[in-house]
Amino acid sequence: MSVFKGLKPIVYGGREVWPLIEGGKGVAATNHASSGAWAAAGGIGTVSAVNADSYDPTGKIVPQLYPQLTRRERHEQLIRYAIDGAVEQVQRAHEISGGQGAININVLWEMGGAQAVLEGVLEKTRGLVTGVTCGAGMPYKLSEIAARFNVNYLPIVSSGRAFRALWKRAYHKVAHLLAAVVYEDPWLAGGHNGLSNAEDPRKPEDPYPRVKALRDTMRAEGVSDDVPIIMAGGVWFLREWNNWIDNPDLGAIAFQFGTRPLLTEESPIPQAWKDHLRELDPGDVLLHRFSPTGFYSSAVRNPFLRSLEARSERQIPYSRVSAGEHTVQLDVGVRGKNFWVTPVDLDRARGWAAQGFEHALRTPDDTVVFVSGAERDTIRVDQADCMGCLSHCGFSSWKDHDDYSTGRLADPRSFCIQKTLQDIAHGGDIQQNLMFAGHAAYRFKQDPFYSNNFTPTVKQLVDRILTGD
């Protein structure tokens, strides 16, 4: 096999590895089988430590059940599941790797109990985990935790500004364990993205100047050019990144693949999900803001997402008193008379009610959305069953500390992300659940490597990537 020109191994965790990192994908979409195989192929495999699966003595996945009566008790159960599952996944991945490559773990800082989970996993996997990647929030404490367990840390950022804030506040104290900085393109990456309020979700920006600005920031803070920036989001063929490799303006560069490893023999996602990836066209992945985290995220625009889009479109503002243009009282979908709307919105609301969306649910933004009886019932059950999977949840108003409430009204325009990600990862309907994917997923259909329904092993995929394709 001929390796793409200019691509050289890097030293990570005391050994040479290819600068190819497996993206650690959320709930059960990256596990020991895929990450162990990625490491065995000479790269850096990444076990997802987000509510990872455990197994019973027969090898079957242990269902994660929450019979406890209170959210706080369910949250504590979730932390126990998360630690047990991630520890088992790391141990299995390490065995599969055969001492090759390296094993990282990935956590979302905004997941519920993130710090407790991370500390619990690292305590029980000493010597097996080389580094921790962490994004979805500002993980200031990541470097402090890494220092306690003597592992590398690899923060995920989407701008030089975010890195500077992390460095100034905390990371400069643990500079020796900063192994790399992951730049995740907020317009192209799958899953939760770091798009800021100053950036337009409809106007993607070229990653090159943004990564150059990140490197300039790192240099200004005294970070060596030998600390790689890992380009994540939209990476498919390495030959398309030829001018990034051995580029003195950018320093050391590595590449993260999140979407391509979904379609491998070892990928743990269900076959229906794998099959659907082959059918996607450009534009079939939607950058949206329905996630209860409040972050933008990217997922396949299936009926599940379309129903959330439609729900938010069936929305009108109201006021508690007659004021301004709010001159008429809402007479469908609500109890009581303290809902004043515009005459135009009253007509729209009556139209939605006539179509079967006869229930109006209040949102935290002084609006109501109109839903069917079945939608209302599902929303209420899911909110009541909340197990505290996020540090702050817009859908259920859960918070994982202090008084355990965000203090805001629960938002019916969102959804229970734990429920849907667990469901799709374990064989649920791919049309009625959240299906995360990067925006380059349409390339499965175009790339001749996958023709005739070919599904590579992880080793075959890594070998293919190394050629430039």
Side-chain angles (χ1 to χ4, degrees), residues 319-431:
S319 56
R320 287 300 196 178
V321 294
S322 175
E325 295 180 352
H326 291 200
T327 56
V328 293
Q329 289 176 307
L330 189 59
D331 58 8
V332 290
V334 294
R335 292 177 181 171
K337 297 183 177 180
N338 294 332
F339 293 87
W340 294 82
V341 298
T342 69
V344 170
D345 282 343
L346 178 60
D347 287 343
R348 294 168 73 208
R350 287 171 173 171
W352 293 326
Q355 293 169 22
F357 302 105
E358 69 272 34
H359 300 279
L361 302 180
R362 290 192 301 140
T363 80
D365 301 316
D366 294 328
T367 65
V368 287
V369 292
F370 282 77
V371 299
S372 68
E375 279 183 304
R376 179 199 61 179
D377 293 346
T378 299
I379 289 166
R380 287 184 173 169
V381 168
D382 288 350
Q383 287 173 336
D385 287 348
C386 171
M387 70 291 284
C389 76
L390 298 173
S391 68
H392 296 75
C393 177
F395 177 66
S396 69
S397 293
W398 157 269
K399 185 173 67 175
D400 72 355
H401 52 283
D402 300 335
D403 61 355
Y404 301 98
S405 169
T406 63
R408 285 171 61 80
L409 202 62
D411 196 335
R413 297 166 296 186
S414 190
F415 56 92
C416 175
I417 196 163
Q418 168 79 353
K419 171 188 165 185
T420 187
L421 291 181
Q422 285 284 3
D423 196 34
I424 193 169
H426 298 101
D429 187 346
I430 62 166
Q431 299 298 338

Side-chain angles (χ1 to χ4, degrees), residues 62-68 73-74 77-78 80-81 387:
V62 175
Q64 296 190 7
L65 305 174
Y66 298 91
Q68 296 84 359
E73 289 173 312
R74 293 193 292 271
Q77 174 65 63
L78 178 126
R80 289 192 292 272
Y81 278 139
M387 70 291 284

Side-chain angles (χ1 to χ4, degrees), residues 29 38 48 58 123 267-268 294 296 301 428:
W38 193 276
S48 172
T58 69
E123 179 64 51
S267 168
Y296 282 94
R301 197 175 178 206

Side-chain angles (χ1 to χ4, degrees), residues 23-359:
K25 295 170 287 295
V27 173
T30 304
N31 74 351
H32 67 277
S34 60
S35 51
W38 193 276
I44 301 172
T46 307
V47 168
S48 172
V50 182
N51 302 121
D53 288 329
S54 297
Y55 306 91
D56 68 16
T58 69
K60 289 183 180 173
I61 291 173
V62 175
Q64 296 190 7
L65 305 174
Y66 298 91
Q68 296 84 359
L69 293 179
T70 69
R71 284 183 180 179
R72 188 172 174 186
E73 289 173 312
R74 293 193 292 271
H75 172 67
E76 288 164 357
Q77 174 65 63
L78 178 126
I79 290 174
R80 289 192 292 272
Y81 278 139
I83 293 171
D84 291 347
V87 168
E88 186 156 6
Q89 295 293 339
V90 167
Q91 291 168 342
R92 288 177 173 226
H94 192 262
E95 288 174 18
I96 292 170
S97 74
Q100 301 300 305
I103 299 292
N104 283 352
I105 60 173
N106 177 67
V107 293
L108 281 75
W109 197 246
E110 284 299 316
M111 74 182 189
Q115 188 171 338
V117 171
L118 185 52
E119 290 171 339
V121 174
L122 291 175
E123 179 64 51
K124 295 180 178 181
T125 56
R126 289 180 183 269
L128 305 182
V129 172
T130 307
V132 180
T133 55
C134 186
M138 292 294 279
Y140 292 111
K141 292 189 176 178
L142 179 61
S143 57
E144 172 193 322
I145 296 168
R148 209 176 318 145
F149 295 96
N150 195 33
V151 297
N152 295 292
Y153 65 103
L154 303 84
I156 301 171
V157 300
S158 294
S159 67
R161 192 163 51 91
F163 175 77
R164 182 185 287 113
L166 291 165
W167 180 266
K168 293 277 193 196
R169 180 159 158 187
Y171 292 0
H172 71 276
K173 300 173 190 170
V174 194
H176 66 293
L177 291 175
L178 177 69
V181 178
V182 182
Y183 171 79
E184 189 175 72
D185 189 304
W187 291 275
L188 294 177
H192 289 105
N193 303 2
L195 203 66
S196 76
N197 291 329
E199 292 157 338
D200 190 334
R202 294 157 300 183
K203 293 181 179 174
E205 294 181 16
D206 178 4
Y208 186 95
R210 293 171 66 92
V211 171
K212 170 71 166 63
L214 171 58
R215 177 62 76 188
D216 290 344
T217 300
M218 292 167 66
R219 286 170 175 156
E221 301 299 343
V223 179
S224 167
D225 272 15
D226 293 334
V227 174
I229 293 175
I230 300 171
M231 177 62 207
V235 181
W236 198 269
F237 298 132
L238 285 185
R239 54 181 161 81
E240 296 171 339
W241 303 83
N242 187 30
N243 65 323
W244 287 52
I245 300 170
D246 273 344
N247 183 328
D249 283 346
L250 299 180
I253 291 287
F255 297 94
Q256 179 169 301
F257 294 83
T259 298
R260 279 189 87 171
L262 284 171
L263 190 50
T264 58
E265 292 284 356
E266 294 90 345
S267 168
I269 66 172
Q271 190 61 44
W273 188 348
K274 293 182 183 181
D275 292 342
H276 193 63
L277 290 171
R278 298 178 185 275
E279 302 169 2
L280 298 178
D281 292 312
D284 281 353
V285 173
L286 178 71
L287 180 62
H288 65 89
R289 209 169 189 177
F290 298 119
S291 169
T293 61
F295 292 114
Y296 282 94
S297 65
S298 293
V300 175
R301 197 175 178 206
N302 60 1
F304 174 82
L305 264 193
R306 290 181 189 276
S307 70
L308 286 166
E309 291 179 275
R311 187 186 302 169
S312 275
E313 285 163 8
R314 294 190 303 272
Q315 180 174 199
I316 56 174
Y318 71 91
S319 56
R320 287 300 196 178
V321 294
S322 175
E325 295 180 352
H326 291 200
T327 56
V328 293
Q329 289 176 307
L330 189 59
D331 58 8
V332 290
V334 294
R335 292 177 181 171
K337 297 183 177 180
N338 294 332
F339 293 87
W340 294 82
V341 298
T342 69
V344 170
D345 282 343
L346 178 60
D347 287 343
R348 294 168 73 208
R350 287 171 173 171
W352 293 326
Q355 293 169 22
F357 302 105
E358 69 272 34
H359 300 279

